[in-house]
Amino acid sequence: MNSISTQITPGLQARKGFTGIYVHYPFCYQKCDYCDFFSEGIGEGKSNVEDLLFESYKKEFSLKKANSPELKTTKIDTVFMGGGTPSKALPENWFRLLKFFREELDFSSDPEISIEANPEDLSLDFIQSLKEAGFNRLNIGVQTRSKEGLKFLGRHYDAEKYENLKYLLQNSNIERTGIDLMYGLPHSRKEDFLDDLNYFLDLQLSHVSLYSLTLEKGTSYSRNVKDKKASPPNEEMQREILELLPSLMQNRGYTWYEVSNYCKDRSFSRHNLRYWTYESYLGLGPGAHGFLDQARYGNPRNTAAYLKHPGKPATEETSSPREELALSLFRLFLPIHIPSFLEAHIPEEIAKKMIFSLDGFAAKGYCDWDGSRFQWKESALLVLDDLITELAIST
């Protein structure tokens, strides 16, 4: 099948023959305190190594292609520019890179081409430039409309840009547009988050990602909480909102398809779906990860090191499908055609153990499961991590 959306009725099915591309752009206006992705704050303006970085993407690509049998035979159906803040880069650099990819690889007829952006970079002209560069999906990291909340998160705040965001979203030439919002900030109220959420839902966006603030090891926020310089996330509020969201979003016309992700009209993030369904992807750039030819790799979390040796990974490991599939596939709240994934990735004896676990979950009322089509019930939400861990251990 060529499209994720055609697979939903019988259940999401395993696919072969398709690959995605992820490109990591490491630069931001400033490094957010809570963020554990590799990124570097460089202030306003363009990085002085931007052109070199884009040439390094091409060099790494050529090395990966030369050594990957999969890339020689696959079809590309998603490209995702993440970071960092990819909207800090010039659209013409993205245009040239996308043109290069299309010349080097076989693309599907309807690829999803996504880019992440922050409000401070956006204008109607800039969005038009992104569309002309080839992007058909835009995701904006809003997090919160509260000045105090953004200051707490260590994010850059441009009041004029945040106030203008509604106008930009209403008039964007890129139809598939989504936002990220965050909840559970200490000293914030549930009502503040819901006000932000309803503000954006009124715009009928195609995609909404709703994340709880978490303590990620190695971040400034995590260290500050440990040193009692900052308050921890409001876990009680997070639990209340997490329980509230599925019905609230459904009432507003959104499909709940992953723990933190909702969309209208089956406008799933097709690229992110491939992470959860154990599909391959080429990762390029400092701090990027990739999954090709049944092996995973991670690039150095250092821009200078990457520019010196693009294509030289910092980590490499053989993939473990039985554990990874349990940890990723079962984050989805879509109906899933389990036999297709078991047949594609899991040995028969292990598959029997997984089916036994699913039988147990169904008996406890956590899912709908008929031996073929599986789907979590909302009752599984608050114990989902425990259930997924149990499933991973049992297999």
Side-chain angles (χ1 to χ4, degrees):
M1 297 185 183
N2 292 329
S3 172
I4 288 289
S5 63
T6 64
Q7 304 170 13
I8 300 309
T9 302
L12 193 66
Q13 298 185 35
R15 306 188 311 160
K16 289 192 174 181
F18 294 91
T19 300
I21 302 174
Y22 173 78
V23 181
H24 192 81
Y25 183 84
F27 303 117
C28 295
Y29 186 97
Q30 64 190 44
K31 174 76 174 180
C32 297
D33 292 347
Y34 64 90
C35 179
D36 68 334
F37 291 103
F38 172 63
S39 60
E40 302 176 42
I42 61 170
E44 190 174 358
K46 175 183 171 182
S47 164
N48 57 10
V49 297
E50 181 172 310
D51 293 339
L52 179 59
L53 177 64
F54 275 80
E55 287 304 310
S56 296
Y57 291 147
K58 294 179 182 179
K59 290 179 182 177
E60 183 185 5
F61 172 91
S62 297
L63 288 170
K64 291 290 194 303
K65 182 184 177 184
N67 292 290
S68 170
E70 186 169 25
L71 280 181
K72 294 180 175 67
T73 59
T74 195
K75 191 177 287 286
I76 302 298
D77 64 349
T78 68
V79 182
F80 193 102
M81 313 306 187
T85 309
S87 55
K88 279 188 69 66
L90 295 174
E92 49 262 42
N93 278 332
W94 291 123
F95 171 82
R96 286 191 285 267
L97 186 63
L98 285 169
K99 182 174 183 290
F100 172 79
F101 289 155
R102 286 183 177 275
E103 291 169 349
E104 294 288 328
L105 294 175
D106 184 20
F107 271 63
S108 68
S109 60
D110 62 340
E112 174 190 89
I113 315 291
S114 306
I115 187 168
E116 293 181 329
N118 279 356
E120 61 265 20
D121 298 321
L122 296 179
S123 66
L124 287 183
D125 286 343
F126 185 79
I127 293 173
Q128 177 62 28
S129 296
L130 292 177
K131 183 171 183 178
E132 291 172 358
F135 293 102
N136 54 29
R137 185 174 179 276
L138 173 66
N139 196 76
I140 304 169
V142 176
Q143 314 312 342
T144 174
R145 295 171 62 235
S146 162
K147 178 181 179 180
E148 293 75 18
L150 291 168
K151 182 178 180 180
F152 175 84
L153 294 172
R155 286 181 63 88
H156 173 65
Y157 175 68
D158 184 322
E160 183 178 350
K161 288 291 187 178
Y162 267 79
E163 287 301 318
N164 197 42
L165 190 54
K166 182 176 182 178
Y167 172 78
L168 294 179
L169 291 170
Q170 288 173 322
N171 294 278
S172 170
N173 285 332
I174 299 178
E175 292 182 3
R176 292 187 61 200
T177 300
I179 59 159
D180 295 345
L181 287 179
M182 186 173 287
Y183 60 90
L185 280 64
H187 315 305
S188 66
R189 302 180 308 150
K190 179 172 70 174
E191 291 76 17
D192 297 330
F193 168 76
L194 293 176
D195 284 346
D196 278 353
L197 178 58
N198 286 314
Y199 178 88
F200 288 107
L201 292 183
D202 287 343
L203 302 178
Q204 301 295 309
L205 302 177
S206 65
H207 195 278
V208 181
S209 297
L210 304 171
Y211 300 106
S212 59
L213 175 64
T214 57
L215 289 170
E216 300 292 346
K217 185 177 179 181
T219 63
S220 295
Y221 178 48
S222 179
R223 290 191 294 270
N224 288 338
V225 170
K226 182 180 179 181
D227 295 339
K228 302 189 183 304
K229 295 178 181 178
S231 299
N234 187 331
E235 293 184 356
E236 181 179 354
M237 185 209 301
Q238 289 180 344
R239 184 170 57 253
E240 291 177 3
I241 291 175
L242 188 63
E243 290 183 282
L244 174 66
L245 284 175
S247 59
L248 185 157
M249 296 298 288
Q250 183 178 11
N251 290 338
R252 298 298 296 268
Y254 285 82
T255 298
W256 183 28
Y257 75 96
E258 192 270 344
V259 177
S260 304
N261 287 277
Y262 299 81
C263 68
K264 275 187 174 291
D265 304 320
R266 296 181 176 177
S267 295
F268 313 107
S269 170
R270 286 163 49 194
H271 186 83
N272 285 343
L273 268 178
R274 77 180 334 118
Y275 297 151
W276 296 315
T277 55
Y278 200 67
E279 292 186 10
S280 62
Y281 59 98
L282 167 66
L284 302 173
H289 289 80
F291 176 38
L292 290 173
D293 306 294
Q294 295 301 301
R296 295 194 180 276
Y297 64 89
N299 286 341
R301 292 169 63 94
N302 182 294
T303 301
Y306 174 78
L307 294 177
K308 190 174 182 180
H309 297 292
K312 183 179 180 181
T315 60
E316 295 179 279
E317 59 183 338
T318 303
S319 177
S320 173
R322 62 188 187 183
E323 180 179 353
E324 291 184 23
L325 199 63
L327 294 173
S328 58
L329 183 64
F330 291 93
R331 286 183 57 85
L332 295 174
F333 277 74
L334 293 171
I336 302 168
H337 184 255
I338 295 297
S340 69
F341 287 95
L342 299 184
E343 292 166 8
H345 304 299
I346 306 295
E348 185 176 353
E349 287 304 311
I350 301 300
K352 289 179 181 178
K353 294 180 180 180
M354 183 175 285
I355 289 172
F356 180 79
S357 294
L358 299 183
D359 289 340
F361 296 161
K364 295 176 182 177
Y366 289 130
C367 62
D368 290 319
W369 165 240
D370 62 6
S372 175
R373 185 179 185 273
F374 172 92
Q375 186 170 24
W376 289 118
K377 292 182 179 179
E378 194 174 322
S379 58
L381 181 58
L382 293 181
V383 293
L384 188 63
D385 287 343
D386 293 334
L387 296 175
I388 289 175
T389 300
E390 179 183 335
L391 189 61
I393 293 173
S394 69
T395 59

